[in-house]
Amino acid sequence: MKISDSMREAINEQIKAEFDSAYIYLAMSAYFKSSGLDGMAHWMKKQYKEEVEHAEKFIDYLYERGERVIIPDIAKPKESYSDALEVFKTAYAHEQYVTSRIYKLVDLAVSEKDYATQSMLKWFVDEQMEEEDNTGSIVAKFELLGNDKHSVYMIDRELASR
Ligand code: FEO
């Protein structure tokens, strides 16, 4: 059974959103690197790679369904931030936005009775819970420890082990 044109388009748009996410995190990594926060730069670089994997999962799904993939333009990400906490708050808000996008895809798959796409999206629903938890818990760490130089140094060291 073929997937609908609207579902193919929505998944192609999500492929773009995942690459945009990858670039946002790669730019965050570069910002941290230039700020001497190597642990945070490492964490964000890993996140960048995860986002590329997310895009590839959607690409492979379209291939599996015999559909055409459109390789998108990637939006230029924001380059600088006021401090590390602003970066992680931005990342957390971004993951909440991505979750809302995934839920819209699920809504579309349900409305179209597209069971195969619903099944594929289940992985992303679970993954988004983890993504929100990962970024949200770092914001919570800042709230607990404070946003002074000592706390930033400690969090940087911790994130180096991701
Ligand atoms: Fe691909 Fe961070 O969601």
Side-chain angles (χ1 to χ4, degrees):
M1 214 167 118
K2 287 197 69 70
I3 67 174
S4 70
D5 291 349
S6 53
M7 182 55 77
R8 183 189 56 244
E9 264 174 45
I11 293 175
N12 269 308
E13 280 166 20
Q14 188 59 28
I15 291 168
K16 173 175 170 48
E18 299 292 348
F19 278 123
D20 284 343
S21 300
Y23 253 43
I24 288 168
Y25 294 135
L26 188 60
M28 287 174 172
S29 177
Y31 164 77
F32 284 136
K33 198 77 192 162
S34 73
S35 309
L37 294 165
D38 285 3
M40 293 181 187
H42 165 79
W43 194 97
M44 280 298 174
K45 182 96 172 286
K46 283 223 156 166
Q47 191 60 36
Y48 151 75
K49 287 181 182 165
E50 274 205 6
E51 298 302 344
V52 172
E53 281 174 19
H54 295 171
E56 285 173 349
K57 262 185 189 287
F58 281 115
I59 287 171
D60 290 343
Y61 178 69
L62 284 185
Y63 287 163
E64 219 177 297
R65 302 295 304 271
E67 296 293 338
R68 181 82 169 90
V69 168
I70 307 299
I71 301 303
D73 282 346
I74 304 175
K76 171 121 184 63
K78 183 172 149 84
E79 271 172 12
S80 58
Y81 294 86
S82 56
D83 58 16
L85 176 56
E86 191 202 357
V87 178
F88 284 104
K89 278 184 172 169
T90 305
Y92 181 40
H94 184 72
E95 286 306 328
Q96 289 172 313
Y97 161 71
V98 175
T99 300
S100 73
R101 291 191 61 102
I102 297 292
Y103 287 2
K104 277 186 195 148
L105 283 174
V106 174
D107 287 342
L108 181 61
V110 168
S111 74
E112 293 188 354
K113 295 187 165 38
D114 181 341
Y115 300 111
T117 302
Q118 285 176 49
S119 171
M120 179 274 291
L121 287 170
K122 167 87 172 57
W123 185 90
F124 282 95
V125 170
D126 295 343
E127 176 71 3
Q128 279 313 119
M129 259 199 299
E130 203 183 303
E131 295 276 76
E132 284 193 33
D133 183 45
N134 287 345
T135 47
S137 65
I138 297 171
V139 172
K141 244 183 254 296
F142 276 97
E143 276 156 11
L144 185 72
L145 299 171
N147 193 17
D148 57 275
K149 280 187 179 173
H150 184 68
S151 307
V152 172
Y153 176 74
M154 274 174 44
I155 296 171
D156 184 62
R157 284 190 60 166
E158 194 188 322
L159 296 186
S161 67
R162 180 178 185 184

Coordinates of all heavy atoms in Angstrom, one line a residue, residues 41-96:
A41 N 30.7 21.3 24.2 CA 30.9 21.2 22.8 C 30.8 19.7 22.3 O 30.2 19.4 21.3 CB 32.3 21.8 22.4
H42 N 31.4 18.8 23.1 CA 31.4 17.4 22.8 C 29.9 16.9 22.9 O 29.5 16.2 22.0 CB 32.2 16.7 23.9 CG 32.0 15.2 23.9 ND1 32.5 14.3 23.0 CD2 31.3 14.4 24.8 CE1 32.2 13.1 23.3 NE2 31.4 13.1 24.4
W43 N 29.2 17.3 23.9 CA 27.8 16.9 24.1 C 27.0 17.3 22.9 O 26.2 16.5 22.3 CB 27.2 17.5 25.4 CG 25.9 16.9 25.9 CD1 25.8 15.9 26.8 CD2 24.6 17.2 25.5 NE1 24.5 15.6 27.0 CE2 23.7 16.4 26.2 CE3 24.1 18.1 24.5 CZ2 22.3 16.4 26.0 CZ3 22.7 18.2 24.3 CH2 21.8 17.3 25.1
M44 N 27.1 18.5 22.5 CA 26.4 19.1 21.4 C 26.8 18.4 20.0 O 25.9 18.2 19.1 CB 26.5 20.6 21.2 CG 25.7 21.3 22.2 SD 23.9 21.1 21.9 CE 23.2 21.9 23.3
K45 N 28.0 18.1 19.9 CA 28.5 17.4 18.7 C 27.8 16.0 18.6 O 27.4 15.6 17.5 CB 30.0 17.3 18.7 CG 30.6 16.6 17.5 CD 31.1 17.7 16.5 CE 31.9 17.1 15.4 NZ 33.3 16.7 15.8
K46 N 27.7 15.3 19.7 CA 27.0 14.0 19.7 C 25.5 14.2 19.4 O 24.9 13.4 18.7 CB 27.1 13.4 21.1 CG 28.4 12.8 21.4 CD 28.3 11.4 22.0 CE 29.5 10.6 21.7 NZ 29.6 9.4 22.6
Q47 N 24.9 15.3 19.9 CA 23.5 15.6 19.6 C 23.3 15.8 18.1 O 22.4 15.4 17.5 CB 23.1 16.8 20.4 CG 21.6 17.0 20.4 CD 20.8 15.8 21.0 OE1 21.2 15.2 21.9 NE2 19.7 15.5 20.3
Y48 N 24.3 16.6 17.5 CA 24.3 16.8 16.1 C 24.2 15.5 15.3 O 23.4 15.3 14.4 CB 25.5 17.6 15.7 CG 26.1 17.5 14.3 CD1 25.4 18.0 13.2 CD2 27.2 16.7 14.1 CE1 26.0 17.8 11.9 CE2 27.8 16.5 12.9 CZ 27.1 17.1 11.8 OH 27.6 16.9 10.5
K49 N 25.1 14.6 15.7 CA 25.1 13.3 15.0 C 23.8 12.5 15.2 O 23.4 11.8 14.3 CB 26.3 12.4 15.5 CG 27.6 13.0 15.1 CD 28.8 12.1 15.5 CE 30.1 12.8 15.1 NZ 31.3 12.2 15.8
E50 N 23.2 12.6 16.4 CA 21.9 11.9 16.6 C 20.9 12.5 15.6 O 20.0 11.7 15.1 CB 21.4 12.1 18.0 CG 22.0 11.1 19.0 CD 21.1 10.9 20.2 OE1 20.0 11.5 20.3 OE2 21.6 10.2 21.1
E51 N 20.9 13.8 15.4 CA 19.9 14.4 14.6 C 20.1 14.0 13.1 O 19.1 13.8 12.4 CB 19.9 15.9 14.7 CG 19.6 16.5 16.0 CD 18.3 16.1 16.6 OE1 17.4 15.7 15.8 OE2 18.1 16.3 17.8
V52 N 21.3 13.8 12.7 CA 21.6 13.3 11.3 C 21.0 11.9 11.2 O 20.3 11.5 10.2 CB 23.1 13.3 11.0 CG1 23.3 12.6 9.7 CG2 23.6 14.8 10.9
E53 N 21.2 11.1 12.3 CA 20.6 9.7 12.3 C 19.1 9.8 12.2 O 18.4 8.9 11.6 CB 21.0 9.0 13.6 CG 22.4 8.4 13.5 CD 22.9 7.8 14.8 OE1 22.0 7.5 15.7 OE2 24.1 7.7 15.0
H54 N 18.4 10.7 12.9 CA 17.0 10.9 12.8 C 16.6 11.2 11.4 O 15.6 10.6 10.9 CB 16.5 12.0 13.7 CG 16.7 11.8 15.2 ND1 16.5 12.7 16.1 CD2 17.1 10.7 15.9 CE1 16.7 12.2 17.3 NE2 17.1 11.0 17.2
A55 N 17.3 12.1 10.7 CA 16.9 12.4 9.3 C 17.1 11.2 8.5 O 16.2 10.9 7.6 CB 17.9 13.5 8.8
E56 N 18.2 10.4 8.7 CA 18.4 9.2 7.9 C 17.3 8.1 8.2 O 17.0 7.4 7.2 CB 19.8 8.6 8.3 CG 20.9 9.4 7.6 CD 22.3 9.0 8.1 OE1 22.4 8.2 9.0 OE2 23.3 9.5 7.5
K57 N 16.8 8.1 9.4 CA 15.7 7.1 9.6 C 14.5 7.4 8.8 O 13.8 6.6 8.2 CB 15.3 7.2 11.1 CG 15.9 6.1 12.0 CD 15.4 6.1 13.4 CE 16.1 5.2 14.3 NZ 15.9 3.8 14.1
F58 N 14.2 8.7 8.7 CA 13.0 9.1 7.8 C 13.3 8.9 6.4 O 12.5 8.5 5.6 CB 12.7 10.6 8.1 CG 11.9 10.9 9.3 CD1 12.4 11.6 10.4 CD2 10.6 10.3 9.5 CE1 11.7 11.8 11.6 CE2 9.8 10.6 10.6 CZ 10.4 11.3 11.7
I59 N 14.6 9.2 6.0 CA 15.0 9.0 4.6 C 14.8 7.5 4.2 O 14.2 7.1 3.2 CB 16.4 9.4 4.3 CG1 16.5 11.0 4.3 CG2 17.0 8.9 3.0 CD1 17.9 11.5 4.3
D60 N 15.3 6.6 5.1 CA 15.3 5.2 4.8 C 13.8 4.7 4.8 O 13.5 3.8 4.1 CB 16.1 4.4 5.9 CG 17.6 4.6 5.7 OD1 18.0 5.1 4.6 OD2 18.4 4.4 6.6
Y61 N 13.0 5.3 5.7 CA 11.6 4.9 5.7 C 10.9 5.2 4.3 O 10.2 4.4 3.8 CB 10.8 5.6 6.8 CG 9.4 5.2 6.8 CD1 9.0 3.9 7.2 CD2 8.4 6.1 6.5 CE1 7.6 3.5 7.2 CE2 7.1 5.8 6.5 CZ 6.7 4.5 6.8 OH 5.4 4.1 6.8
L62 N 11.2 6.4 3.8 CA 10.6 6.7 2.5 C 11.1 5.8 1.4 O 10.4 5.4 0.5 CB 10.9 8.2 2.1 CG 10.0 9.2 2.9 CD1 10.3 10.6 2.3 CD2 8.5 9.0 2.8
Y63 N 12.4 5.5 1.5 CA 13.0 4.5 0.5 C 12.3 3.2 0.6 O 11.9 2.6 -0.4 CB 14.5 4.3 0.7 CG 15.4 5.4 0.4 CD1 16.7 5.5 0.9 CD2 15.0 6.5 -0.5 CE1 17.6 6.5 0.5 CE2 15.8 7.5 -0.8 CZ 17.1 7.5 -0.3 OH 18.0 8.5 -0.7
E64 N 12.1 2.7 1.8 CA 11.4 1.4 2.1 C 10.0 1.4 1.5 O 9.6 0.4 1.0 CB 11.3 1.3 3.6 CG 11.6 -0.1 4.1 CD 11.5 -0.2 5.6 OE1 12.4 0.5 6.2 OE2 10.6 -0.8 6.1
R65 N 9.4 2.6 1.5 CA 8.0 2.6 1.0 C 8.0 3.0 -0.5 O 7.0 3.2 -1.1 CB 7.2 3.7 1.7 CG 7.1 3.5 3.2 CD 6.3 2.2 3.6 NE 5.0 2.2 3.0 CZ 3.9 2.6 3.6 NH1 3.9 3.2 4.7 NH2 2.7 2.5 3.0
G66 N 9.2 3.0 -1.1 CA 9.3 3.3 -2.6 C 9.0 4.7 -2.9 O 8.6 5.0 -4.0
E67 N 9.3 5.7 -2.0 CA 9.0 7.1 -2.2 C 10.2 7.9 -2.5 O 11.3 7.5 -2.1 CB 8.3 7.6 -1.0 CG 6.9 7.0 -0.7 CD 5.9 7.3 -1.7 OE1 6.0 8.3 -2.4 OE2 4.9 6.6 -1.8
R68 N 10.0 9.0 -3.1 CA 11.0 10.0 -3.5 C 11.4 10.8 -2.2 O 10.5 11.4 -1.6 CB 10.5 10.9 -4.6 CG 11.5 11.9 -5.1 CD 12.4 11.2 -6.1 NE 13.2 12.2 -6.8 CZ 14.4 12.7 -6.4 NH1 14.9 12.2 -5.3 NH2 15.1 13.6 -7.1
V69 N 12.7 10.9 -2.0 CA 13.2 11.8 -0.9 C 13.7 13.1 -1.5 O 14.4 13.1 -2.5 CB 14.4 11.0 -0.2 CG1 15.1 12.0 0.7 CG2 13.8 9.9 0.6
I70 N 13.4 14.2 -0.9 CA 13.9 15.5 -1.3 C 14.9 15.9 -0.3 O 14.6 16.1 0.9 CB 12.7 16.5 -1.4 CG1 11.6 16.0 -2.3 CG2 13.3 17.9 -1.9 CD1 11.9 15.7 -3.7
I71 N 16.2 16.1 -0.8 CA 17.2 16.5 0.1 C 17.1 18.0 0.3 O 17.1 18.8 -0.7 CB 18.6 16.1 -0.4 CG1 18.7 14.6 -0.6 CG2 19.7 16.7 0.5 CD1 18.5 13.8 0.7
P72 N 16.8 18.5 1.5 CA 16.5 19.9 1.7 C 17.6 20.9 1.8 O 18.8 20.5 2.1 CB 15.7 19.8 3.0 CG 16.4 18.8 3.8 CD 16.9 17.8 2.8
D73 N 17.3 22.2 1.7 CA 18.2 23.3 2.1 C 18.2 23.2 3.7 O 17.2 22.9 4.3 CB 17.6 24.6 1.8 CG 17.8 24.9 0.3 OD1 18.5 24.2 -0.3 OD2 17.1 25.9 -0.2
I74 N 19.3 23.6 4.2 CA 19.4 23.6 5.7 C 19.4 25.1 6.1 O 20.2 25.9 5.6 CB 20.6 22.8 6.2 CG1 20.6 21.4 5.7 CG2 20.6 22.9 7.7 CD1 21.8 20.6 6.1
A75 N 18.6 25.4 7.1 CA 18.5 26.8 7.6 C 19.8 27.2 8.3 O 20.4 26.4 9.0 CB 17.3 27.0 8.5
K76 N 20.3 28.4 8.1 CA 21.5 28.9 8.9 C 21.1 29.0 10.3 O 20.2 29.7 10.7 CB 21.9 30.2 8.3 CG 23.0 30.9 9.1 CD 24.2 31.2 8.2 CE 25.4 31.8 9.0 NZ 25.9 30.9 10.1
P77 N 21.9 28.3 11.2 CA 21.6 28.4 12.6 C 22.1 29.7 13.3 O 23.0 30.3 12.8 CB 22.2 27.2 13.2 CG 23.3 26.9 12.3 CD 23.0 27.4 10.9
K78 N 21.5 30.0 14.5 CA 22.0 31.1 15.3 C 23.4 30.8 15.7 O 23.8 29.6 16.1 CB 21.1 31.1 16.5 CG 21.3 32.2 17.5 CD 20.1 32.2 18.5 CE 20.5 32.6 19.9 NZ 20.5 34.0 20.1
E79 N 24.3 31.8 15.7 CA 25.7 31.6 16.0 C 26.2 31.8 17.4 O 27.1 31.2 17.9 CB 26.6 32.4 15.1 CG 26.8 31.8 13.8 CD 27.5 32.7 12.8 OE1 28.0 33.8 13.2 OE2 27.6 32.3 11.6
S80 N 25.5 32.8 18.1 CA 26.0 33.1 19.4 C 24.9 33.3 20.4 O 23.7 33.5 20.1 CB 26.9 34.4 19.4 OG 26.1 35.5 18.9
Y81 N 25.3 33.1 21.7 CA 24.4 33.1 22.8 C 25.0 33.9 23.9 O 26.2 34.1 23.9 CB 24.1 31.6 23.2 CG 23.4 30.8 22.2 CD1 24.1 30.1 21.2 CD2 22.0 30.6 22.2 CE1 23.5 29.4 20.2 CE2 21.4 29.9 21.2 CZ 22.1 29.3 20.2 OH 21.5 28.5 19.3
S82 N 24.1 34.3 24.9 CA 24.6 35.1 26.0 C 25.4 34.2 27.0 O 26.4 34.6 27.5 CB 23.5 35.8 26.7 OG 22.5 35.0 27.1
D83 N 25.0 33.0 27.2 CA 25.8 32.1 28.0 C 25.3 30.6 27.8 O 24.4 30.3 27.0 CB 25.6 32.5 29.5 CG 24.2 32.5 30.0 OD1 23.3 31.9 29.3 OD2 23.9 33.1 31.1
A84 N 26.0 29.7 28.5 CA 25.7 28.3 28.3 C 24.2 27.9 28.7 O 23.6 27.1 28.0 CB 26.6 27.4 29.2
L85 N 23.7 28.6 29.7 CA 22.3 28.3 30.1 C 21.3 28.6 29.0 O 20.4 27.9 28.7 CB 22.0 29.0 31.4 CG 20.5 28.9 31.9 CD1 20.2 27.4 32.1 CD2 20.3 29.7 33.2
E86 N 21.6 29.8 28.4 CA 20.7 30.1 27.3 C 20.7 29.1 26.2 O 19.7 28.8 25.6 CB 21.1 31.5 26.7 CG 20.0 32.0 25.7 CD 20.5 33.1 24.7 OE1 21.7 33.5 24.8 OE2 19.6 33.5 23.9
V87 N 21.9 28.5 25.9 CA 22.0 27.5 24.9 C 21.1 26.3 25.2 O 20.3 25.8 24.4 CB 23.5 27.0 24.7 CG1 23.5 25.9 23.7 CG2 24.4 28.2 24.3
F88 N 21.2 25.8 26.5 CA 20.5 24.6 26.8 C 19.0 24.9 27.0 O 18.2 24.0 26.7 CB 21.1 24.0 28.1 CG 22.3 23.2 27.8 CD1 23.6 23.7 28.2 CD2 22.3 22.0 27.1 CE1 24.7 23.1 27.9 CE2 23.4 21.3 26.8 CZ 24.7 21.9 27.2
K89 N 18.6 26.1 27.4 CA 17.2 26.5 27.4 C 16.7 26.5 25.9 O 15.5 26.0 25.7 CB 17.0 27.9 28.0 CG 17.0 27.9 29.5 CD 16.7 29.3 30.0 CE 16.4 29.3 31.5 NZ 16.4 30.6 32.1
T90 N 17.5 27.0 25.0 CA 17.1 27.0 23.6 C 16.9 25.5 23.1 O 16.0 25.2 22.4 CB 18.1 27.8 22.8 OG1 18.3 29.1 23.3 CG2 17.7 27.9 21.3
A91 N 17.9 24.7 23.4 CA 17.8 23.3 23.0 C 16.6 22.6 23.5 O 15.9 21.8 22.8 CB 19.1 22.6 23.4
Y92 N 16.3 22.9 24.8 CA 15.1 22.2 25.4 C 13.8 22.7 24.7 O 13.0 21.9 24.4 CB 15.1 22.6 26.9 CG 13.9 22.0 27.7 CD1 13.5 20.7 27.5 CD2 13.3 22.7 28.7 CE1 12.5 20.2 28.2 CE2 12.3 22.2 29.4 CZ 11.8 20.9 29.2 OH 10.8 20.4 29.9
A93 N 13.7 24.0 24.5 CA 12.5 24.5 23.8 C 12.5 23.9 22.4 O 11.4 23.6 21.9 CB 12.6 26.0 23.7
H94 N 13.6 23.8 21.8 CA 13.6 23.2 20.4 C 13.1 21.8 20.4 O 12.4 21.4 19.5 CB 15.1 23.3 19.8 CG 15.1 22.8 18.4 ND1 14.6 23.6 17.4 CD2 15.6 21.7 17.8 CE1 14.7 22.9 16.2 NE2 15.3 21.7 16.5
E95 N 13.6 21.0 21.4 CA 13.1 19.6 21.5 C 11.6 19.5 21.7 O 10.9 18.6 21.2 CB 13.9 18.8 22.5 CG 15.3 18.5 22.1 CD 15.4 17.7 20.8 OE1 14.5 17.0 20.5 OE2 16.4 18.0 20.1
Q96 N 11.0 20.5 22.5 CA 9.6 20.5 22.7 C 8.9 20.8 21.4 O 7.8 20.2 21.1 CB 9.2 21.5 23.7 CG 9.7 21.1 25.1 CD 9.5 22.2 26.2 OE1 9.9 23.3 26.0 NE2 8.9 21.8 27.3

